[in-house]
Every structure is written in structure tokens, then in C-alpha cells.
Amino acid sequence: MKDNTINEILSQLPSSNKPIIKVLKKGTDSKTIVLGLKEGITLKEHKTNIPTTLLVIKGNVVYKEKYREINLESFDSLEIPTDVIHSVYSLEDSICLLIQG
């Protein structure tokens, strides 16, 4: 069955003034989340207690922790450490996958 989640987020980006977050797939031990960020939007500081990979599939974002910033472009990925406060800022309209578990 075809899933339109990412296309739905792309269509919502131009008029959004906050992150768009939707679960793409959820299993017993894992979850894949789609994160849409319009240019200039920040996913505010938070932390996770689940091992998570951030994968940029379109755009350009900056992953920020207290003492480091990492620029990620399309097809770049990053392991997000657990229990570390971080945020994600979009330099251009971006779509990311958060793969947890």
C-alpha cells in the first residue's frame, strides 16, 4: 500500500511556522518518524532516551548540542546520543527521518 506521509508534509511546509512531525512506521522495537522543517524553523531543545538516527532526505539542517553544531545536507545521517539536550535548525526547507530503536 502506498504511503503519502512525506508528500503530505511537503505540501504543508510552505504555510507552516512550526515543525511538522508524523509517524511513518511503528513496530514493537522501533519507530520511524518524518520531520518536516520549513527554512528558518527550529525543532526546540529536547532529549531522547531511545537510540535515534537523524537522516536528512531533502534539504539542509544544523544539529545543535551545547558544545557542537553539525551541518547535515541531503543523505547525511547522524547518530543522536541518548540523554543529550539537542535541537535541529533548518537552513532550507527540509525533510528528515528519525529512526528510533
Side-chain angles (χ1 to χ4, degrees), residues 2-65:
K2 184 176 176 179
D3 187 292
N4 290 319
T5 303
I6 294 173
N7 284 326
E8 289 172 13
I9 291 174
L10 281 169
S11 70
Q12 294 171 8
L13 273 185
S15 60
S16 179
N17 60 357
K18 62 183 180 180
I20 303 169
I21 301 169
K22 295 185 185 239
V23 174
L24 183 65
K25 184 173 183 177
K26 186 174 183 177
T28 54
D29 296 325
S30 65
K31 183 173 15 174
T32 302
I33 300 165
V34 182
L35 169 64
L37 295 167
K38 182 177 172 181
E39 180 180 343
I41 298 295
T42 299
L43 178 62
K44 68 181 180 176
E45 288 186 334
H46 63 285
K47 60 183 174 178
T48 181
N49 59 356
I50 302 167
T52 302
T53 299
L54 170 64
L55 170 63
V56 180
I57 58 173
K58 176 186 182 304
N60 187 345
V61 301
V62 177
Y63 169 86
K64 297 180 181 183
E65 293 176 2

